[in-house]
Amino acid sequence: MTNTAMLYALGEFFCMAIMLILTGALKPITNYGKREKWLAASLVSETLYFLGDALDKLQLGGVLPASQAGLLFTGTYKLWMLDFVSVAVFFYIDQCREFSLTDSWSKRLLVCSVALLNGVFELLVLLINPGWLLTAQLQPTLLYNILLLLVPLLYSLSAIGLAINGIRQSPSKNIRQFYLTTASWPMLLVIFGGLDIYVGTFPFYAYVATACLLFLAVYQFRTLVDTVSLGSLSNIKGREKLKSYLKSIQRRGASSDYYLLLVDMNGLRSINEIYGRSEGDKVLFVVSQAVEQLAEKMHGFSCHYGGDEFLAVVKLEDAAAVKRVFNDLQEEVKHMASIQGLPVVPHLVTSAVCLDMADGDMTAQLRIAEEKIYHQKRDLDGEVRENNFFVDKVTGLPNTNYFRGFANSYLKSCLEKADIPAVVLINVSNMQAYNNRYGFEKGDQLLSQIAQILQKFFDDGVLVRFAEDNFLLATDAPDLVKSLEGAAEEINKETEASIRAGVYRYKNISEGLMTAVDKAKRALRYLNNNRAVVCQVYNQEVKQDFERRGYVLENFQKALDEGWIRPYFQLESRSLTGRICGAEALARWVDPKYGVLGPGFFIEVLEEAHLVHKLDLAIIRQVCAMLARRRAEQQPLVPISVNLSWVDFQVCDIFAEIEKIRHYFKLPASLLKIEILESTVTTKPQELRQAIANFHASGYEVWMDDFGSGYSNFNNLDEYDFDLLKIDMVFLRDFDSRAKVKTLLAIVVDMAKKLGMHTLCEGVETQEQSDFLREIGCERQQGYLFSKPIPEEEFLAKLAKAKLEDPDSNSYYDTVSQVNVLFDPMIDLGSQQTVGIKLPICILEKGTDAFVHFSFMNESYRQVLKPFGYPVASWEEDANLEYSFKKAILELMEESKGKSGPVSRIFDFRGKQFLLEVRYLAHDQKSQRDAFVCTFEGLDK
């Protein structure tokens, strides 16, 4: 018994070795398509089945220790593996006959359902009663043997059905023979598998399965090269099978319904020369797949004709449908090229011949189609054909393909003349915002205008449109920087756009062209947001900056783990009271090697790598931890605003992530303000709109950050529900020398208040700027006048010393500060007023006592006081001593509390009549104060 088991197992091990050799031979011998993958699956699954069967025999023969658990394991393993063998063999046969039963998951699942149900049944039997599979003497039961043969038998019968159907439809004798051969294989396996079970001492199944697979491999490789092999590059069938298909059409007398299509890929040689043959092969493959899909869709047939040409036979209604089919084919090629990330979309030249021409002779039909292709190519103007590949349609400049093909030779000729040429990458700033504001048509016109100006300055060299808003230039201009600055000046003057450039001096021909472009790109990136500089030459500083960027990516996670990334805080002041009402948390990287790194160094890098959400959430987590700690210690605190990047809305549910952090620290939403850059609106509009709604529903305020820093789109203020407009510091740059800046700021503040938005201005550095912002009613201020961004320890120390606005009073002061002092505050429709009205306005506050506080007086109000001899500094005290004036004010205050609008009276003050109007604003529960806005308008001319 032991010797028999050993011989049985050795026989199966021998078959396993042959199977593995055949599997290894598949890939180098054939084109590894779907059919070959299923054949490989058949070979591997058979090998694994042999392994289980050999182990089973060794246990039953006493060579290996036998136990019920071990035999149940190998027995169940054999059942499942044989089910898989049956499915793999069936799919292989299906692929050989092209019945398309594996084209979709639904079809594959349907085919596999029998094997899956059988496998589930086997598992249930094993769990319910193992004795149904294995006797007490550890021998397989009748049920086990039936299950072992049931699935292979069912799939074998199905394979015979497919073969019969294929034999009936196939016009080719060779193909009919192949169908018959493949159909007999699974049935032979079932027969000899049964014999194997009956005899039990000789591995019939293993030897027959191995012999069948070996025979099929040789038969396929040697006999069916033309009929079932695939094209080496195109992965579709050869011409011999197309001939058989044409003959079957002719026998049915249906030639007039079919057209022979010849598809020629124009420009393959150029693609091979510029991008390399590997890319050319990818392009060729895409075209072949598109042709094959077209043929399958129209119930036809396709093949690789040779070189860059393909043939397809399809059924069409008439000749008018041919043009539509070719247009669809070109669009499909374009779509597939985009999916595959190809460097270029191939251009197709096509022709069609009805099959009833030339008496159905394929050679004659192909000759007619080739003549049509030749005439089409000849009729195509040479320059136009080049434009399809080498010219940018928007600007008329050459494109990247041209640069890759010809810039090298230009640079080489410059070096041979002992010149030092340069590769320059030119970027049009804020092009995306320009497109969003004016539309893509206007954007294309702008690019075309910029291209013309650049051509004027660099007529000697290679200038191309590189991609989107970038131009590439190879030039040996002697004063390159001066020329770039001149071009930038003219572009700014003619178009109001701006450009920036990165320059790399090309000194060594052995250096790759795209390496030089990459270094020019690094130089451009080094400029960052420095709009004062037009161009940057690649140098040691740029190189070090690039290395630092690499350092950021390599060490970012470590920086998070080690606590190198921390929030720095910049204070925000309430214009009305001068108290600190909040702070902004700004990310800083406190690096042990480079020191404190500002956000300009690492934010852009992390955004490009889609890692910035980790940074933002880390800052928010630290801010919340600080706020929670201060609340627990009952220490004074202020709300903190945190910044979100546009990437946050793309890579995660940023709202949900922030909510997790806030709830963990048990903080009210009012202590966190969400700042979103205006540029986020242009990148993720739908996600942003939903996120703002979610933030508002949970009690957060959402602020628009850096308004005015680029091409600000005023539609964004209407389309998105922002609570506060954060005015960029660019408005305060050169505040003293820019005559119109005060008017612009007043207009922005007025507009924001009319839209119901609060206002904050960044970059406040002088008292003069602060006083002006208070005068026009800008509610909050931020800048170096109050504090630079400082670490947490220093920030908390400042909070301990500074006059703080109680967070519970934020809503009170927000309401009071929302008064628009640039128009009559007694009229609700502020849009009807002129910005900068000269009406005397003040904001009054009164607590539980009778003292009236003058929190704000505009310049017009202060001017009214001067003729009466009242110093502005002491007016609050003097007004409370003026009995009649104070009495009138207190009465109006009390009366206005019950009114939705203003109350008024004529008041005689020092012999002059004034219209005194008061409107109630808000009540502060914390301090028990009420706020009012008051106007004091003289009636005498």
Side-chain angles (χ1 to χ4, degrees):
M1 185 69 175
T2 302
N3 292 335
T4 303
M6 284 290 293
L7 290 173
Y8 189 102
L10 286 173
E12 295 207 288
F13 288 144
F14 171 74
C15 293
M16 286 169 60
I18 295 176
M19 291 288 190
L20 291 174
I21 293 171
L22 282 176
T23 304
L26 272 178
K27 211 158 190 178
I29 292 178
T30 68
N31 301 293
Y32 208 70
K34 291 180 181 179
R35 186 185 67 252
E36 285 70 34
K37 289 178 181 178
W38 284 116
L39 179 57
S42 303
L43 293 169
V44 172
S45 55
E46 287 281 22
T47 304
L48 294 174
Y49 172 78
F50 293 163
L51 177 62
D53 194 37
L55 293 174
D56 195 51
K57 288 296 181 184
L58 291 174
Q59 289 182 81
L60 291 171
V63 179
L64 294 176
S67 65
Q68 185 185 39
L71 287 168
L72 283 172
F73 173 77
T74 55
T76 308
Y77 169 84
K78 285 167 57 182
L79 288 172
W80 289 347
M81 197 52 62
L82 203 57
D83 290 348
F84 186 82
V85 169
S86 303
V87 172
V89 168
F90 181 85
F91 280 145
Y92 167 69
I93 294 171
D94 167 71
Q95 284 296 305
C96 288
R97 297 167 195 159
E98 301 166 6
F99 293 123
S100 304
L101 294 178
T102 61
D103 284 354
S104 65
W105 278 107
S106 58
K107 290 181 181 180
R108 286 196 288 269
L109 187 61
L110 182 63
V111 172
C112 294
S113 58
V114 174
L116 291 172
L117 290 173
N118 189 63
V120 171
F121 177 74
E122 291 162 354
L123 180 62
L124 290 174
V125 170
L126 179 66
L127 295 175
I128 294 170
N129 188 356
W132 292 348
L133 300 177
L134 199 66
T135 67
Q137 291 77 33
L138 302 182
Q139 295 296 320
T141 64
L142 177 63
L143 176 62
Y144 177 85
N145 291 328
I146 291 173
L147 291 175
L148 196 65
L149 294 175
L150 179 63
V151 172
L153 178 62
L154 290 174
Y155 280 100
S156 297
L157 294 173
S158 301
I160 291 172
L162 287 178
I164 294 171
N165 184 53
I167 290 169
R168 288 175 56 196
Q169 293 183 2
S170 176
S172 171
K173 181 180 177 181
N174 284 342
I175 294 176
R176 289 197 297 269
Q177 289 175 350
F178 181 71
Y179 287 169
L180 187 61
T181 304
T182 53
S184 64
W185 165 35
M187 185 53 70
L188 280 173
L189 297 184
V190 173
I191 293 170
F192 281 94
L195 185 63
D196 196 343
I197 293 171
Y198 180 75
V199 176
T201 57
F202 187 79
F204 291 103
Y205 174 80
Y207 286 124
V208 172
T210 304
C212 284
L213 285 167
L214 186 60
F215 171 77
L216 280 174
V218 174
Y219 187 73
Q220 175 177 316
F221 298 155
R222 295 189 59 188
T223 309
L224 303 179
V225 173
D226 290 329
T227 55
V228 296
S229 67
L230 307 179
S232 60
L233 292 175
S234 63
N235 208 35
I236 62 177
K237 295 82 185 172
R239 280 178 284 176
E240 291 301 317
K241 197 165 187 178
L242 179 65
K243 289 180 180 179
S244 298
Y245 185 75
L246 289 173
K247 289 178 181 177
S248 68
I249 293 173
Q250 291 166 2
R251 281 200 301 270
R252 297 198 305 269
S255 298
S256 60
D257 297 332
Y258 286 82
Y259 283 78
L260 177 69
L261 310 183
L262 178 59
V263 180
D264 180 25
M265 197 182 86
N266 196 30
L268 179 61
R269 180 178 177 183
S270 298
I271 294 171
N272 285 333
E273 289 176 354
I274 294 173
Y275 296 106
R277 291 195 173 274
S278 61
E279 291 296 323
D281 289 348
K282 292 178 183 177
V283 173
L284 188 66
F285 180 78
V286 161
V287 175
S288 73
Q289 293 295 100
V291 172
E292 185 175 27
Q293 287 184 18
L294 170 70
E296 289 177 355
K297 180 181 177 182
M298 306 188 74
H299 307 291
F301 191 86
S302 62
C303 76
H304 185 191
Y305 183 45
D308 56 359
E309 294 179 326
F310 300 88
L311 289 174
V313 174
V314 295
K315 188 175 183 179
L316 296 174
E317 297 174 0
D318 50 41
V322 173
K323 184 176 181 181
R324 184 179 67 252
V325 168
F326 285 153
N327 289 337
D328 292 344
L329 178 62
Q330 182 68 63
E331 286 300 313
E332 180 63 22
V333 168
K334 183 178 180 181
H335 174 67
M336 295 178 70
S338 174
I339 293 175
Q340 296 291 331
L342 297 181
V344 65
V345 177
H347 180 259
L348 305 181
V349 181
T350 53
S351 67
V353 179
C354 185
L355 287 187
D356 61 359
M357 298 178 67
D359 299 324
D361 180 56
M362 183 176 177
T363 304
Q365 289 163 348
L366 284 174
R367 186 170 62 250
I368 295 171
E370 288 174 340
E371 286 178 1
K372 286 187 174 183
I373 289 279
Y374 170 77
H375 288 298
Q376 285 187 58
K377 286 188 172 184
R378 187 191 63 185
D379 293 340
L380 281 173
D381 181 78
E383 183 180 352
V384 173
R385 282 193 284 127
E386 286 300 304
N387 285 351
N388 288 333
F389 192 75
F390 289 118
V391 176
D392 175 61
K393 294 179 181 178
V394 173
T395 63
L397 290 177
N399 59 18
T400 311
N401 301 325
Y402 184 90
F403 192 85
R404 288 174 181 266
F406 302 104
N408 254 332
S409 58
Y410 172 80
L411 294 170
K412 183 179 180 181
S413 66
C414 291
L415 291 174
E416 289 172 351
K417 294 186 295 183
D419 294 334
I420 301 179
V423 174
V424 185
L425 180 62
I426 301 169
N427 173 258
V428 182
S429 302
N430 297 311
M431 192 65 208
Q432 186 179 35
Y434 187 94
N435 283 332
N436 289 330
R437 184 179 183 186
Y438 298 110
F440 286 98
E441 185 176 350
K442 288 285 186 183
D444 288 347
Q445 292 174 7
L446 174 65
L447 288 173
S448 180
Q449 196 173 354
I450 291 173
Q452 292 175 17
I453 295 172
L454 290 174
Q455 276 183 305
K456 185 172 73 173
F457 278 84
F458 303 102
D459 57 346
D460 184 17
V462 180
L463 174 67
V464 306
R465 170 134 181 248
F466 183 47
E468 297 176 347
D469 54 359
N470 295 303
F471 295 88
L472 257 180
L473 170 67
T475 180
D476 62 349
D479 201 346
L480 177 59
V481 173
K482 187 176 180 180
S483 298
L484 285 169
E485 290 173 348
E489 184 179 353
E490 184 165 337
I491 288 169
N492 187 253
K493 180 181 177 182
E494 296 292 330
T495 67
E496 296 186 0
S498 60
I499 62 168
R500 297 185 304 164
V503 179
Y504 177 68
R505 299 290 183 183
Y506 192 81
K507 300 177 181 179
N508 190 345
I509 194 63
S510 63
E511 188 169 26
L513 177 63
M514 298 317 293
T515 301
V517 173
D518 189 53
K519 289 182 178 179
K521 187 185 297 183
R522 295 176 194 175
L524 176 62
R525 182 179 290 172
Y526 182 77
L527 288 175
N528 203 5
N529 293 319
N530 185 359
R531 299 189 181 106
V533 180
V534 172
C535 65
Q536 172 67 48
V537 178
Y538 183 87
N539 54 24
Q540 189 63 26
E541 289 181 6
V542 175
K543 182 180 178 182
Q544 289 175 354
D545 177 74
F546 181 76
E547 290 171 352
R548 286 191 182 186
R549 286 173 176 270
Y551 180 82
V552 166
L553 292 177
E554 290 173 11
N555 293 276
F556 173 58
Q557 190 58 51
K558 183 179 181 181
L560 289 177
D561 297 339
E562 299 290 336
W564 298 349
I565 294 176
R566 308 167 192 170
Y568 272 43
F569 300 88
Q570 189 170 30
L571 300 176
E572 299 164 359
S573 172
R574 176 82 65 180
S575 299
L576 186 65
T577 63
R579 291 180 177 271
I580 299 302
C581 59
E584 180 182 7
L586 300 161
R588 294 293 184 270
W589 182 321
V590 185
D591 193 87
K593 180 178 180 180
Y594 294 112
V596 179
L597 303 176
F601 177 74
F602 55 86
I603 292 292
E604 184 183 355
V605 180
L606 296 176
E607 282 183 332
E608 290 175 357
H610 282 197
L611 294 171
V612 75
H613 66 290
K614 292 187 176 182
L615 172 90
D616 291 340
L617 291 173
I619 294 297
I620 292 170
R621 191 174 293 107
Q622 292 180 62
V623 167
C624 288
M626 183 270 291
L627 289 172
R629 188 170 62 253
R630 299 282 290 179
R631 288 188 83 206
E633 297 170 355
Q634 297 186 337
Q635 295 291 324
L637 46 77
V638 292
I640 306 295
S641 63
V642 293
N643 293 277
L644 299 184
S645 164
W646 63 270
V647 177
D648 297 341
F649 297 90
Q650 185 176 4
V651 300
C652 69
D653 185 348
I654 191 64
F655 164 74
E657 295 297 326
I658 292 175
E659 277 289 84
K660 288 179 189 175
I661 296 171
R662 182 176 71 86
H663 285 300
Y664 176 81
F665 289 103
K666 300 177 181 178
L667 292 173
S670 59
L671 286 178
L672 277 183
K673 314 297 182 183
I674 306 299
E675 293 194 26
I676 299 173
L677 287 171
E678 185 183 7
S679 58
T680 305
V681 173
T682 64
T683 51
K684 305 298 291 182
Q686 296 301 328
E687 291 86 345
L688 176 61
R689 192 175 284 109
Q690 184 59 52
I692 291 176
N694 292 338
F695 279 122
H696 280 156
S698 296
Y700 295 90
E701 285 187 14
V702 182
W703 298 359
M704 177 187 276
D705 194 13
D706 288 353
F707 179 79
S709 60
Y711 285 106
S712 293
N713 190 337
F714 288 89
N715 287 332
N716 295 333
L717 303 181
D718 175 49
E719 294 178 11
Y720 298 88
D721 189 14
F722 290 105
D723 299 286
L724 180 142
L725 190 67
K726 200 164 185 182
I727 303 167
D728 190 72
M729 65 181 68
V730 69
F731 281 97
L732 294 181
R733 191 172 296 146
D734 302 323
F735 181 78
D736 297 330
S737 60
R738 294 164 64 199
K740 298 178 182 178
V741 71
K742 293 183 179 181
T743 303
L744 288 172
L745 279 169
I747 290 172
V748 171
V749 171
D750 176 69
M751 172 194 65
K753 293 201 174 189
K754 287 175 180 175
L755 292 173
M757 298 173 66
H758 299 287
T759 51
L760 183 153
C761 189
E762 299 178 292
V764 181
E765 297 182 353
T766 67
Q767 192 60 47
E768 181 188 0
Q769 294 171 349
S770 177
D771 291 343
F772 172 76
L773 291 170
R774 189 175 190 273
E775 177 71 20
I776 65 173
C778 183
E779 300 169 46
R780 301 174 183 230
Q781 303 176 29
Q782 179 183 345
Y784 277 25
L785 180 64
F786 311 103
S787 84
K788 63 181 181 179
I790 51 179
E792 183 178 318
E793 299 79 11
E794 192 175 340
F795 167 66
L796 296 179
K798 275 189 175 289
L799 288 188
K801 298 177 183 178
K803 293 181 179 180
L804 305 183
E805 180 177 293
D806 194 308
D808 293 336
S809 299
N810 280 163
S811 60
Y812 167 77
Y813 281 113
D814 282 344
T815 303
V816 175
S817 300
Q818 188 67 7
V819 171
N820 194 343
V821 297
L822 295 172
F823 74 95
D824 189 344
M826 303 305 165
I827 300 177
D828 291 333
L829 297 177
S831 58
Q832 297 177 359
Q833 300 295 312
T834 303
V835 176
I837 191 169
K838 300 301 182 182
L839 186 68
I841 301 171
C842 65
I843 294 177
L844 309 175
E845 290 183 282
K846 188 182 81 67
T848 53
D849 57 9
F851 192 83
V852 179
H853 295 273
F854 283 72
S855 300
F856 171 82
M857 294 181 289
N858 69 353
E859 181 61 27
S860 296
Y861 194 98
R862 293 193 292 269
Q863 291 299 324
V864 168
L865 299 177
K866 286 185 179 180
F868 299 105
Y870 287 107
V872 174
S874 62
W875 170 242
E876 181 175 276
E877 183 179 347
D878 293 338
N880 278 277
L881 295 175
E882 284 280 351
Y883 175 76
S884 58
F885 178 77
K886 181 177 180 180
K887 181 174 180 293
I889 287 290
L890 290 174
E891 289 173 353
L892 288 172
M893 283 179 170
E894 195 63 32
E895 184 182 351
S896 70
K897 286 184 180 180
K899 300 289 182 68
S900 58
V903 295
S904 63
R905 71 172 56 177
I906 304 297
F907 180 71
D908 193 334
F909 186 69
R910 298 292 180 90
K912 186 174 181 179
Q913 285 190 326
F914 288 86
L915 176 62
L916 192 61
E917 288 188 280
V918 174
R919 181 164 64 88
Y920 175 74
L921 294 176
H923 174 74
D924 182 22
Q925 188 65 32
K926 184 81 173 179
S927 62
Q928 290 297 306
R929 277 181 298 181
D930 294 298
F932 309 81
V933 60
C934 175
T935 60
F936 193 59
E937 184 177 8
L939 297 179
D940 294 339
K941 293 184 179 180

